Amino acid sequence: MGDGVDQPAAKAALLKAYPGLFTISGNVLTWTDGTTMVWNDDKARDADALLESPDIEDMFRYVYPRAAEGALVPAEDFDPGRIRNEPFFEKLYGASAAEVGKHIANVKWLPKLGEKTVQVTRIFGINDRLGKVSAALEAMPAELSRYGLKPGGGFVWRPIAGTDRLSVHSFGAAFDINVGFSDYWYNNRNKTNPKAHIPFKNRIPLEIVELFEKNGFIWGGRWYHYDTMHFEYRPELLLYKESG
Protein backbone atom coordinates (compact mmCIF):
# COMPACT_ATOMS: atom_id res chain seq x y z
CA MET A 1 0.00 0.00 0.00
CA GLY A 2 1.11 3.58 -0.47
CA ASP A 3 2.48 4.36 2.98
CA GLY A 4 5.65 5.98 1.69
CA VAL A 5 8.03 3.27 2.90
CA ASP A 6 10.91 2.48 0.55
CA GLN A 7 10.51 -1.29 0.69
CA PRO A 8 13.94 -2.40 -0.59
CA ALA A 9 15.74 0.16 1.57
CA ALA A 10 13.76 -0.79 4.68
CA LYS A 11 14.41 -4.50 4.22
CA ALA A 12 18.11 -3.88 3.57
CA ALA A 13 18.38 -1.71 6.68
CA LEU A 14 16.74 -4.32 8.91
CA LEU A 15 18.93 -7.12 7.57
CA LYS A 16 22.09 -5.06 8.05
CA ALA A 17 21.09 -3.94 11.55
CA TYR A 18 20.53 -7.49 12.82
CA PRO A 19 22.68 -9.71 10.59
CA GLY A 20 22.36 -13.47 10.41
CA LEU A 21 19.14 -13.73 12.41
CA PHE A 22 16.53 -13.83 9.66
CA THR A 23 15.93 -13.52 5.95
CA ILE A 24 13.25 -11.54 4.14
CA SER A 25 11.73 -12.95 0.98
CA GLY A 26 8.81 -11.11 -0.53
CA ASN A 27 6.36 -10.45 2.27
CA VAL A 28 7.74 -12.98 4.76
CA LEU A 29 10.47 -12.56 7.37
CA THR A 30 11.89 -15.96 8.37
CA TRP A 31 14.03 -16.41 11.49
CA THR A 32 16.82 -18.97 11.56
CA ASP A 33 14.71 -21.22 13.82
CA GLY A 34 11.96 -21.31 11.19
CA THR A 35 9.62 -18.81 12.82
CA THR A 36 7.91 -16.62 10.24
CA MET A 37 6.47 -13.12 10.49
CA VAL A 38 4.54 -11.04 7.98
CA TRP A 39 6.51 -8.07 6.69
CA ASN A 40 3.51 -6.02 5.55
CA ASP A 41 -0.07 -7.05 6.32
CA ASP A 42 -1.36 -4.26 4.04
CA LYS A 43 -3.70 -2.87 6.69
CA ALA A 44 -4.40 0.86 6.83
CA ARG A 45 -3.56 2.28 10.26
CA ASP A 46 -4.00 5.68 11.83
CA ALA A 47 -1.45 7.08 14.28
CA ASP A 48 -2.92 5.25 17.28
CA ALA A 49 -3.10 1.91 15.48
CA LEU A 50 0.51 2.28 14.32
CA LEU A 51 1.52 2.30 17.97
CA GLU A 52 -0.83 -0.43 19.12
CA SER A 53 -0.53 -3.06 16.38
CA PRO A 54 2.05 -2.27 13.69
CA ASP A 55 3.46 -4.78 11.27
CA ILE A 56 7.23 -4.85 10.77
CA GLU A 57 7.17 -2.61 7.72
CA ASP A 58 5.28 0.05 9.67
CA MET A 59 8.38 0.65 11.80
CA PHE A 60 9.84 2.49 8.81
CA ARG A 61 6.82 4.73 8.31
CA TYR A 62 8.75 7.82 9.41
CA VAL A 63 12.37 8.63 8.55
CA TYR A 64 14.40 9.40 11.67
CA PRO A 65 16.20 12.79 11.46
CA ARG A 66 19.76 12.61 12.75
CA ALA A 67 21.21 15.20 15.11
CA ALA A 68 23.26 16.59 12.22
CA GLU A 69 20.03 17.95 10.74
CA GLY A 70 19.85 20.40 13.62
CA ALA A 71 17.09 21.43 16.00
CA LEU A 72 13.66 20.37 14.75
CA VAL A 73 10.11 20.60 16.04
CA PRO A 74 8.43 17.29 15.10
CA ALA A 75 5.23 17.48 13.09
CA GLU A 76 2.04 16.13 14.64
CA ASP A 77 2.22 12.35 15.18
CA PHE A 78 5.72 12.21 13.66
CA ASP A 79 7.20 9.48 15.89
CA PRO A 80 10.13 7.72 14.14
CA GLY A 81 11.12 4.77 16.31
CA ARG A 82 8.10 4.89 18.57
CA ILE A 83 6.36 2.43 16.26
CA ARG A 84 7.55 -1.03 17.32
CA ASN A 85 6.44 -4.50 16.32
CA GLU A 86 6.61 -6.13 19.74
CA PRO A 87 6.91 -9.78 18.60
CA PHE A 88 9.94 -8.78 16.51
CA PHE A 89 11.71 -7.28 19.53
CA GLU A 90 10.73 -10.20 21.75
CA LYS A 91 12.41 -12.44 19.20
CA LEU A 92 15.56 -10.30 19.26
CA TYR A 93 15.92 -9.92 23.01
CA GLY A 94 13.56 -12.30 24.84
CA ALA A 95 9.85 -12.55 25.55
CA SER A 96 10.03 -12.41 29.34
CA ALA A 97 12.01 -10.70 32.08
CA ALA A 98 13.79 -13.99 32.75
CA GLU A 99 14.80 -14.46 29.11
CA VAL A 100 16.05 -10.91 28.77
CA GLY A 101 17.76 -11.11 32.14
CA LYS A 102 20.09 -13.87 30.93
CA HIS A 103 21.85 -11.32 28.74
CA ILE A 104 21.91 -8.28 31.02
CA ALA A 105 25.29 -6.70 31.78
CA ASN A 106 26.48 -3.95 34.09
CA VAL A 107 27.90 -0.79 32.54
CA LYS A 108 29.87 1.74 34.56
CA TRP A 109 28.26 5.00 33.54
CA LEU A 110 30.51 8.10 33.77
CA PRO A 111 32.85 6.40 36.28
CA LYS A 112 35.30 9.33 36.35
CA LEU A 113 32.46 11.58 37.46
CA GLY A 114 31.42 9.24 40.24
CA GLU A 115 28.24 8.01 38.63
CA LYS A 116 26.54 4.66 39.00
CA THR A 117 26.36 1.27 37.34
CA VAL A 118 23.49 0.78 34.89
CA GLN A 119 22.17 -2.35 33.22
CA VAL A 120 21.55 -3.05 29.54
CA THR A 121 21.69 -6.14 27.34
CA ARG A 122 24.87 -7.66 25.92
CA ILE A 123 23.03 -8.57 22.73
CA PHE A 124 24.44 -6.68 19.72
CA GLY A 125 27.12 -5.36 22.07
CA ILE A 126 24.71 -2.76 23.43
CA ASN A 127 26.56 -2.73 26.76
CA ASP A 128 29.84 -1.92 24.99
CA ARG A 129 28.14 0.69 22.83
CA LEU A 130 26.74 2.42 25.90
CA GLY A 131 30.20 2.26 27.46
CA LYS A 132 31.60 4.12 24.45
CA VAL A 133 28.95 6.80 24.86
CA SER A 134 29.89 7.10 28.53
CA ALA A 135 33.60 7.48 27.78
CA ALA A 136 32.97 10.12 25.13
CA LEU A 137 30.52 12.02 27.30
CA GLU A 138 32.71 12.20 30.38
CA ALA A 139 35.54 13.56 28.21
CA MET A 140 33.35 16.50 27.20
CA PRO A 141 33.34 19.86 29.01
CA ALA A 142 31.31 19.96 32.22
CA GLU A 143 28.55 22.02 30.61
CA LEU A 144 27.84 18.99 28.39
CA SER A 145 28.81 16.03 30.58
CA ARG A 146 26.36 17.23 33.25
CA TYR A 147 23.53 16.00 31.02
CA GLY A 148 24.67 12.46 31.74
CA LEU A 149 24.59 12.80 35.52
CA LYS A 150 21.76 11.23 37.55
CA PRO A 151 20.67 8.85 34.76
CA GLY A 152 17.22 7.33 34.71
CA GLY A 153 18.65 3.88 34.00
CA GLY A 154 18.40 1.02 31.55
CA PHE A 155 16.86 -2.44 31.96
CA VAL A 156 13.47 -2.57 33.66
CA TRP A 157 10.78 -5.02 32.55
CA ARG A 158 7.70 -2.78 32.38
CA PRO A 159 5.00 -1.45 30.08
CA ILE A 160 5.05 2.06 28.67
CA ALA A 161 3.17 4.28 31.10
CA GLY A 162 -0.56 4.24 30.43
CA THR A 163 -0.38 1.38 27.90
CA ASP A 164 -0.12 -2.41 27.64
CA ARG A 165 2.86 -2.15 25.28
CA LEU A 166 6.30 -3.14 26.52
CA SER A 167 8.87 -0.41 26.89
CA VAL A 168 12.18 -0.97 25.10
CA HIS A 169 13.67 -0.78 28.60
CA SER A 170 12.11 -4.23 29.05
CA PHE A 171 14.57 -5.58 26.50
CA GLY A 172 17.60 -3.87 28.01
CA ALA A 173 17.98 -1.89 24.78
CA ALA A 174 17.13 1.59 26.07
CA PHE A 175 18.75 4.11 28.38
CA ASP A 176 17.56 7.33 30.00
CA ILE A 177 20.06 10.09 30.75
CA ASN A 178 19.76 12.89 33.31
CA VAL A 179 16.19 12.93 34.58
CA GLY A 180 16.63 16.50 35.75
CA PHE A 181 16.83 17.73 32.15
CA SER A 182 14.03 15.55 30.82
CA ASP A 183 10.93 16.76 29.01
CA TYR A 184 8.06 14.34 28.39
CA TRP A 185 5.07 14.97 26.16
CA TYR A 186 2.56 13.45 28.58
CA ASN A 187 3.40 16.01 31.23
CA ASN A 188 2.90 18.88 28.77
CA ARG A 189 -0.29 17.70 27.08
CA ASN A 190 -3.61 19.52 27.30
CA LYS A 191 -5.29 17.52 30.06
CA THR A 192 -8.81 18.63 29.10
CA ASN A 193 -8.41 18.14 25.34
CA PRO A 194 -6.34 15.06 24.41
CA LYS A 195 -6.38 16.03 20.72
CA ALA A 196 -4.90 19.48 21.30
CA HIS A 197 -1.45 20.22 19.91
CA ILE A 198 1.39 19.23 22.25
CA PRO A 199 4.00 21.98 22.62
CA PHE A 200 7.54 20.73 22.03
CA LYS A 201 10.12 21.13 24.79
CA ASN A 202 13.74 20.03 24.95
CA ARG A 203 16.84 20.77 27.01
CA ILE A 204 19.18 18.03 25.74
CA PRO A 205 21.99 19.36 23.49
CA LEU A 206 22.34 17.77 20.08
CA GLU A 207 26.02 17.09 20.81
CA ILE A 208 24.82 14.49 23.32
CA VAL A 209 22.37 13.02 20.83
CA GLU A 210 25.11 12.65 18.25
CA LEU A 211 27.21 10.52 20.63
CA PHE A 212 24.35 8.08 21.01
CA GLU A 213 23.56 8.00 17.29
CA LYS A 214 27.18 7.11 16.48
CA ASN A 215 26.64 3.99 18.57
CA GLY A 216 23.32 2.93 17.07
CA PHE A 217 20.85 4.68 19.38
CA ILE A 218 18.01 6.96 18.34
CA TRP A 219 16.65 9.78 20.49
CA GLY A 220 13.15 10.27 21.83
CA GLY A 221 13.51 13.99 21.29
CA ARG A 222 12.81 13.48 17.59
CA TRP A 223 9.23 12.44 18.35
CA TYR A 224 6.05 14.50 18.44
CA HIS A 225 5.27 12.46 21.56
CA TYR A 226 8.71 13.30 22.87
CA ASP A 227 10.72 11.74 25.68
CA THR A 228 13.94 13.71 25.64
CA MET A 229 15.95 11.70 28.16
CA HIS A 230 15.25 8.48 26.24
CA PHE A 231 17.63 6.69 23.87
CA GLU A 232 17.07 3.25 22.36
CA TYR A 233 19.13 0.96 20.17
CA ARG A 234 17.51 1.10 16.73
CA PRO A 235 20.28 0.88 14.12
CA GLU A 236 17.80 -0.06 11.41
CA LEU A 237 16.32 3.43 11.51
CA LEU A 238 19.72 5.07 11.26
CA LEU A 239 20.63 2.77 8.37
CA TYR A 240 17.31 3.42 6.64
CA LYS A 241 18.02 7.14 6.77
CA GLU A 242 21.34 6.49 5.05
CA SER A 243 19.59 4.38 2.43
CA GLY A 244 16.80 6.86 1.75
Side-chain angles (χ1 to χ4, degrees), residues 73-78 185 188-201 223-226:
V73 176
E76 187 168 340
D77 290 330
F78 181 79
W185 73 271
N188 297 313
R189 75 196 190 287
N190 186 318
K191 296 176 178 60
T192 60
N193 180 8
K195 295 297 183 182
H197 180 77
I198 303 167
F200 181 71
K201 295 184 179 182
W223 305 338
Y224 175 70
H225 296 91
Y226 53 88

Short mmCIF file of all heavy atoms in Angstrom, two decimals, residues 73-78 185 188-201 223-226:
data_model
loop_
_atom_site.label_atom_id
_atom_site.label_comp_id
_atom_site.label_asym_id
_atom_site.label_seq_id
_atom_site.Cartn_x
_atom_site.Cartn_y
_atom_site.Cartn_z
N VAL A 73 11.35 20.80 15.31
CA VAL A 73 10.11 20.60 16.04
C VAL A 73 9.31 19.55 15.27
O VAL A 73 8.89 19.81 14.14
CB VAL A 73 9.31 21.91 16.17
CG1 VAL A 73 7.97 21.65 16.85
CG2 VAL A 73 10.11 22.95 16.93
N PRO A 74 9.11 18.36 15.84
CA PRO A 74 8.43 17.29 15.10
C PRO A 74 7.00 17.67 14.73
O PRO A 74 6.28 18.29 15.51
CB PRO A 74 8.44 16.12 16.09
CG PRO A 74 9.55 16.43 17.05
CD PRO A 74 9.56 17.92 17.18
N ALA A 75 6.61 17.27 13.53
CA ALA A 75 5.23 17.48 13.09
C ALA A 75 4.29 16.58 13.89
O ALA A 75 4.72 15.61 14.52
CB ALA A 75 5.11 17.16 11.60
N GLU A 76 3.02 16.90 13.87
CA GLU A 76 2.04 16.13 14.64
C GLU A 76 2.08 14.65 14.27
O GLU A 76 2.05 14.29 13.09
CB GLU A 76 0.64 16.69 14.42
CG GLU A 76 -0.41 16.06 15.30
CD GLU A 76 -1.73 16.81 15.29
OE1 GLU A 76 -1.73 17.99 14.92
OE2 GLU A 76 -2.74 16.20 15.67
N ASP A 77 2.19 13.81 15.29
CA ASP A 77 2.22 12.35 15.18
C ASP A 77 3.46 11.82 14.46
O ASP A 77 3.51 10.64 14.10
CB ASP A 77 0.95 11.82 14.51
CG ASP A 77 -0.27 11.98 15.40
OD1 ASP A 77 -0.11 11.94 16.63
OD2 ASP A 77 -1.38 12.15 14.87
N PHE A 78 4.46 12.65 14.25
CA PHE A 78 5.72 12.21 13.66
C PHE A 78 6.55 11.56 14.78
O PHE A 78 7.11 12.24 15.63
CB PHE A 78 6.47 13.40 13.06
CG PHE A 78 7.78 13.04 12.41
CD1 PHE A 78 7.81 12.48 11.14
CD2 PHE A 78 8.99 13.25 13.07
CE1 PHE A 78 9.02 12.15 10.53
CE2 PHE A 78 10.20 12.93 12.48
CZ PHE A 78 10.22 12.38 11.21
N TRP A 185 6.29 14.44 26.76
CA TRP A 185 5.07 14.97 26.16
C TRP A 185 3.85 14.84 27.07
O TRP A 185 3.01 15.75 27.12
CB TRP A 185 4.79 14.26 24.83
CG TRP A 185 4.30 12.84 24.98
CD1 TRP A 185 5.06 11.71 25.06
CD2 TRP A 185 2.94 12.40 25.08
NE1 TRP A 185 4.28 10.60 25.21
CE2 TRP A 185 2.96 10.99 25.22
CE3 TRP A 185 1.71 13.05 25.06
CZ2 TRP A 185 1.81 10.23 25.35
CZ3 TRP A 185 0.55 12.29 25.20
CH2 TRP A 185 0.60 10.90 25.33
N ASN A 188 3.16 17.58 29.38
CA ASN A 188 2.90 18.88 28.77
C ASN A 188 1.65 18.89 27.89
O ASN A 188 1.38 19.88 27.21
CB ASN A 188 4.12 19.32 27.96
CG ASN A 188 5.34 19.51 28.82
OD1 ASN A 188 5.28 20.15 29.87
ND2 ASN A 188 6.47 18.95 28.42
N ARG A 189 0.91 17.79 27.90
CA ARG A 189 -0.29 17.70 27.08
C ARG A 189 -1.40 18.56 27.65
O ARG A 189 -1.36 18.96 28.83
CB ARG A 189 -0.76 16.25 27.00
CG ARG A 189 -1.44 15.75 28.26
CD ARG A 189 -1.55 14.26 28.32
NE ARG A 189 -2.41 13.79 29.41
CZ ARG A 189 -2.10 13.81 30.69
NH1 ARG A 189 -0.94 14.29 31.09
NH2 ARG A 189 -2.95 13.34 31.60
N ASN A 190 -2.40 18.83 26.84
CA ASN A 190 -3.61 19.52 27.30
C ASN A 190 -4.49 18.48 27.99
O ASN A 190 -5.03 17.59 27.34
CB ASN A 190 -4.34 20.15 26.11
CG ASN A 190 -5.53 20.99 26.53
OD1 ASN A 190 -6.29 20.61 27.41
ND2 ASN A 190 -5.69 22.14 25.88
N LYS A 191 -4.61 18.57 29.29
CA LYS A 191 -5.29 17.52 30.06
C LYS A 191 -6.80 17.50 29.84
O LYS A 191 -7.46 16.51 30.13
CB LYS A 191 -4.95 17.68 31.54
CG LYS A 191 -3.47 17.47 31.83
CD LYS A 191 -3.14 17.73 33.29
CE LYS A 191 -1.66 17.47 33.57
NZ LYS A 191 -0.77 18.33 32.77
N THR A 192 -7.36 18.59 29.34
CA THR A 192 -8.81 18.63 29.10
C THR A 192 -9.16 18.33 27.65
O THR A 192 -10.31 18.03 27.34
CB THR A 192 -9.39 20.00 29.48
OG1 THR A 192 -8.75 21.02 28.70
CG2 THR A 192 -9.15 20.28 30.97
N ASN A 193 -8.17 18.41 26.76
CA ASN A 193 -8.41 18.14 25.34
C ASN A 193 -7.26 17.28 24.80
O ASN A 193 -6.24 17.81 24.35
CB ASN A 193 -8.51 19.44 24.56
CG ASN A 193 -8.77 19.20 23.07
OD1 ASN A 193 -9.02 18.06 22.65
ND2 ASN A 193 -8.70 20.25 22.28
N PRO A 194 -7.42 15.96 24.83
CA PRO A 194 -6.34 15.06 24.41
C PRO A 194 -5.88 15.26 22.97
O PRO A 194 -4.77 14.88 22.62
CB PRO A 194 -6.96 13.67 24.59
CG PRO A 194 -8.08 13.85 25.55
CD PRO A 194 -8.61 15.23 25.29
N LYS A 195 -6.74 15.84 22.12
CA LYS A 195 -6.38 16.03 20.72
C LYS A 195 -5.68 17.36 20.45
O LYS A 195 -5.27 17.64 19.32
CB LYS A 195 -7.64 15.94 19.85
CG LYS A 195 -8.31 14.56 19.86
CD LYS A 195 -7.40 13.49 19.28
CE LYS A 195 -8.08 12.14 19.22
NZ LYS A 195 -7.18 11.09 18.69
N ALA A 196 -5.55 18.18 21.48
CA ALA A 196 -4.90 19.48 21.30
C ALA A 196 -3.42 19.31 20.99
O ALA A 196 -2.79 18.31 21.38
CB ALA A 196 -5.08 20.33 22.56
N HIS A 197 -2.86 20.28 20.28
CA HIS A 197 -1.45 20.22 19.91
C HIS A 197 -0.57 20.18 21.16
O HIS A 197 -0.83 20.89 22.14
CB HIS A 197 -1.08 21.43 19.06
CG HIS A 197 0.35 21.44 18.64
ND1 HIS A 197 0.83 20.64 17.62
CD2 HIS A 197 1.42 22.13 19.11
CE1 HIS A 197 2.12 20.84 17.48
NE2 HIS A 197 2.51 21.74 18.37
N ILE A 198 0.46 19.35 21.12
CA ILE A 198 1.39 19.23 22.25
C ILE A 198 2.59 20.13 21.99
O ILE A 198 3.31 19.93 21.00
CB ILE A 198 1.86 17.77 22.42
CG1 ILE A 198 0.66 16.84 22.61
CG2 ILE A 198 2.83 17.66 23.59
CD1 ILE A 198 1.01 15.37 22.47
N PRO A 199 2.84 21.12 22.83
CA PRO A 199 4.00 21.98 22.62
C PRO A 199 5.30 21.22 22.84
O PRO A 199 5.42 20.44 23.78
CB PRO A 199 3.82 23.08 23.67
CG PRO A 199 2.98 22.46 24.74
CD PRO A 199 2.07 21.49 24.04
N PHE A 200 6.26 21.44 21.95
CA PHE A 200 7.54 20.73 22.03
C PHE A 200 8.47 21.42 23.01
O PHE A 200 8.60 22.64 23.02
CB PHE A 200 8.20 20.67 20.65
CG PHE A 200 9.51 19.94 20.64
CD1 PHE A 200 9.56 18.57 20.80
CD2 PHE A 200 10.71 20.63 20.47
CE1 PHE A 200 10.76 17.88 20.79
CE2 PHE A 200 11.92 19.95 20.47
CZ PHE A 200 11.94 18.58 20.62
N LYS A 201 9.13 20.61 23.84
CA LYS A 201 10.12 21.13 24.79
C LYS A 201 11.33 20.21 24.79
O LYS A 201 11.20 18.99 24.70
CB LYS A 201 9.53 21.21 26.20
CG LYS A 201 8.38 22.20 26.35
CD LYS A 201 7.92 22.30 27.80
CE LYS A 201 6.79 23.32 27.94
NZ LYS A 201 6.35 23.46 29.35
N TRP A 223 10.63 12.85 18.45
CA TRP A 223 9.23 12.44 18.35
C TRP A 223 8.28 13.59 18.69
O TRP A 223 8.58 14.42 19.55
CB TRP A 223 8.94 11.29 19.31
CG TRP A 223 9.81 10.10 19.17
CD1 TRP A 223 10.53 9.72 18.07
CD2 TRP A 223 10.07 9.11 20.18
NE1 TRP A 223 11.21 8.55 18.32
CE2 TRP A 223 10.95 8.16 19.61
CE3 TRP A 223 9.64 8.93 21.49
CZ2 TRP A 223 11.41 7.05 20.32
CZ3 TRP A 223 10.09 7.83 22.20
CH2 TRP A 223 10.96 6.90 21.61
N TYR A 224 7.12 13.58 18.03
CA TYR A 224 6.05 14.50 18.44
C TYR A 224 5.65 14.19 19.88
O TYR A 224 5.48 15.09 20.69
CB TYR A 224 4.86 14.35 17.49
CG TYR A 224 3.65 15.16 17.90
CD1 TYR A 224 3.66 16.55 17.81
CD2 TYR A 224 2.50 14.53 18.38
CE1 TYR A 224 2.55 17.30 18.19
CE2 TYR A 224 1.38 15.27 18.75
CZ TYR A 224 1.41 16.65 18.66
OH TYR A 224 0.32 17.39 19.04
N HIS A 225 5.52 12.90 20.18
CA HIS A 225 5.27 12.46 21.56
C HIS A 225 6.63 12.23 22.22
O HIS A 225 7.07 11.11 22.44
CB HIS A 225 4.43 11.18 21.57
CG HIS A 225 3.06 11.38 21.01
ND1 HIS A 225 2.77 11.18 19.67
CD2 HIS A 225 1.90 11.78 21.59
CE1 HIS A 225 1.48 11.43 19.46
NE2 HIS A 225 0.94 11.80 20.60
N TYR A 226 7.30 13.31 22.51
CA TYR A 226 8.71 13.30 22.87
C TYR A 226 8.99 12.79 24.28
O TYR A 226 8.17 12.87 25.19
CB TYR A 226 9.30 14.71 22.71
CG TYR A 226 8.53 15.79 23.45
CD1 TYR A 226 8.81 16.11 24.77
CD2 TYR A 226 7.51 16.49 22.81
CE1 TYR A 226 8.10 17.09 25.44
CE2 TYR A 226 6.79 17.48 23.47
CZ TYR A 226 7.09 17.77 24.79
OH TYR A 226 6.37 18.74 25.45
#
